[in-house]
Amino acid sequence: MAIHNVPIPSRQLYIDGEWREPVKKKRIPIINPATEDIIGDFPAATAEDVDIAVEAARRALARDDWGSTTGEQRAKYLRAIAAKVLERKSELAILESLDCGKTLFESAADLDDVAACFEYYADLAEALDLKRKTPVDLHLDSFKSYVLREPLGVVGLITPWNYPLLMATWKVAPALAAGCAAILKPSELASITCLELGEICREVGLPPGALNILTGLGPEAGAPLSSHPHVDKISFTGSAATGAKVMTAAAQLVKPVTLELGGKSPIVVFDDIDNLDIAVEWTLFGCFANTGQVCTATSRLIIQESIASAFLDRLILWTKNIKISDPLEEDCKLGPIVSSAQYEKVMKFISNAKNEGATILYGGERPQHLKKGYYVQPTIITDVNTSMEIWKEEVFGPVLCVKTFKTEQEAIELANDTKYGLASAIMSKDAGRCERFTKVGVFLICCKQFFLINRHGITTRVNWILQAFQTGIIWINCSQPSFCQLPFGGKKRSGFGRDLGEMGLEKYLNIKQVTEYTCDDAWAFYKSPSKN
Ligand code: NAD
């Protein structure tokens, strides 16, 4: 049985260092996806609250207690936040699981990552003091120049529900490290722990307005933030459809955006793997961790034909072993989908796949022992072709589709056969092959044909193809591990810009060049009137 005795805190919006009721006094119910019960509510911000928060953020930047801080001073706040997160780890983990259905084990791991991320950006904030002013040698006597790195200004941070506090942290920690003032808009499907971050910031004495947290609906709170004339940048993580709306709104003001969007990532398994079970487990983890609600989920298994049958047999055995239960139960490895709407969406993907002629090899139903909650069995789908929806679209649920290949060329073509470009994984013990899949290069091969006229006017048939994965993240002999030191993001329709790593900090900095004329002589471009 699920055991928890953590009360759901009743919070307001976190603006200017204090809790404020939303102007329209509206609240949104919190539904536990494991039981479908309403367990609390949270405030719904609208455009009026966005205006108030933006004002508070601008004031914070103008005040010495935030706007004139050194990186070293900001690092102290970040470290204090990390310590408080760890102090409240078990309570916050339960709140996260109740809110979004994440297994308690995964919620606790997320909180470790949250603390580590605040610590990492504390280090980078300290290092920023040394890089704040960098002289540039122009090899000229008449000019002296340097480059300044300064906070970009007020930044809007819009985040999804699948890793509620962790995705927020990937943006909040570097934005504060850079010295920006931030407005966080978490997902309406999981806001509890993000509001608790507000309480933590209050407790550690973060200066008012440095971080403001506006919960609420996307169109009511996220949209006015994206189009606000006094927000200098939007950093967005979410679906490609919403990302396009955010980018459109920001474009009207030529406001910079970074977009971390969805994916349909491949895991390519070659027959030279040493151990079937190890590859099977990574395949499972790559697609079913966090109930498949992971932007980088490797949800397309591309398996070499010679081992496909044995591999799928083992995959089913391992899948049957996954404990599906209330996420607070011990050893639960697969919790519910986050919401009723998302559950319906996942079920529709499965029925559409069936209708298009694919085979549901395993799963595809609600688990029989769970009568309530938005649960879906881990599902494996075969007999898939590349025109099917299940091959092309992001499901964001525990659904793996499978295709086989014979040759390396076929494998890379299938892997890159997607509009997305977030992540990809290769399982092979051939180091040369792993490198070919990693590095962009053009290789002569025999599956794509182009015709060139050579200098003698003779038509030559040449076969070229890009051999590497076209993604921002590549995993070799694993899938999904993520580290805050490494840049995270994609290409193609998975978005642009990077969270995490040093790039995750740079996106919150303005680079300012300063050039001084140091010569006593006149510039002498125009004729001086005194010489007439
Ligand atoms: P979503 O696009 O529905 O919502 C994301 C955020 O945008 C929420 O806070 C939402 O309230 C807000 N929003 C909605 N409409 C808006 C509007 N018109 N203007 C401004 N903001 C608006 O995405 P989701 O369902 O919360 O998250 C799932 C998606 O996120 C998946 O596609 C997943 O792949 C992606 N994701 C990407 C990454 C990454 O790093 N690339 C990480 C996690 C999730």
Side-chain angles (χ1 to χ4, degrees), residues 435-454:
E435 192 170 339
R436 280 195 295 283
F437 272 59
T438 308
K439 276 209 267 183
V440 173
V442 181
F443 296 82
L444 266 179
I445 57 155
C446 32
C447 62
K448 275 268 161 71
Q449 301 182 348
F450 300 90
F451 291 87
L452 290 183
I453 308 282
N454 68 21

Side-chain angles (χ1 to χ4, degrees), residues 159-161 185 188 218 222 236-239 242 261-262 295 394 396 488:
T159 54
W161 46 263
K185 206 312 264 164
E188 57 272 40
F236 173 85
T237 298
S239 63
T242 311
L261 308 176
C295 52
E394 182 184 46
F396 227 56
F488 189 103

Side-chain angles (χ1 to χ4, degrees), residues 73-149:
Q73 288 164 325
R74 295 193 296 274
K76 289 204 171 83
Y77 293 119
L78 297 181
R79 293 194 200 287
I81 293 170
K84 278 269 172 209
V85 166
L86 290 180
E87 205 180 290
R88 291 182 58 187
K89 177 177 156 183
S90 47
E91 175 214 349
L92 290 172
I94 292 173
L95 290 175
E96 198 77 296
S97 292
L98 290 172
D99 203 8
C100 72
K102 190 183 281 279
T103 68
L104 194 54
F105 179 83
E106 287 172 282
S107 293
D110 280 8
L111 289 161
D112 287 333
D113 287 350
V114 165
C117 189
F118 274 108
E119 285 285 350
Y120 172 70
Y121 281 108
D123 290 346
L124 292 201
E126 286 161 354
L128 195 57
D129 285 340
L130 298 175
K131 296 187 210 154
R132 204 187 69 83
K133 183 174 173 181
T134 319
V136 178
D137 190 353
L138 302 172
H139 306 291
L140 292 171
D141 293 333
S142 47
F143 289 99
K144 202 168 81 183
S145 288
Y146 56 94
V147 168
L148 285 180
R149 286 178 171 74

Side-chain angles (χ1 to χ4, degrees), residues 175-285:
L176 295 182
C180 291
I183 296 153
L184 168 67
K185 206 312 264 164
S187 166
E188 57 272 40
L189 294 179
S191 291
I192 303 179
T193 51
C194 287
L195 284 171
E196 290 317 288
L197 178 63
E199 179 59 9
I200 287 171
C201 290
R202 209 183 58 79
E203 284 174 7
V204 306
L206 186 75
L211 175 66
N212 306 275
I213 303 168
L214 299 183
T215 50
L217 301 176
E220 291 180 9
L225 188 60
S226 311
S227 60
H228 201 290
H230 296 132
V231 172
D232 300 303
K233 176 171 192 151
I234 295 287
S235 175
F236 173 85
T237 298
S239 63
T242 311
K245 287 185 197 163
V246 168
M247 194 170 166
T248 303
Q252 310 313 309
L253 299 158
V254 200
K255 189 197 299 271
V257 291
T258 52
L259 300 178
E260 300 282 350
L261 308 176
K264 189 77 189 180
S265 302
I267 178 165
V268 181
V269 182
F270 281 91
D271 63 4
D272 61 9
I273 46 169
D274 271 335
N275 183 316
L276 212 61
D277 281 321
I278 290 178
V280 163
E281 194 192 357
W282 280 116
T283 304
L284 235 58
F285 185 72

Side-chain angles (χ1 to χ4, degrees), residues 482-518:
S482 173
F483 303 95
C484 61
Q485 297 87 345
L486 295 173
F488 189 103
K491 58 188 286 194
K492 293 156 84 178
R493 296 244 198 113
S494 293
F496 49 84
R498 295 290 181 268
D499 277 332
L500 299 183
E502 291 190 17
M503 289 180 77
L505 177 71
E506 281 158 18
K507 74 189 208 186
Y508 300 107
L509 294 171
N510 179 43
I511 307 295
K512 189 185 258 177
Q513 65 131 299
V514 181
T515 299
E516 183 184 351
Y517 184 56
T518 51

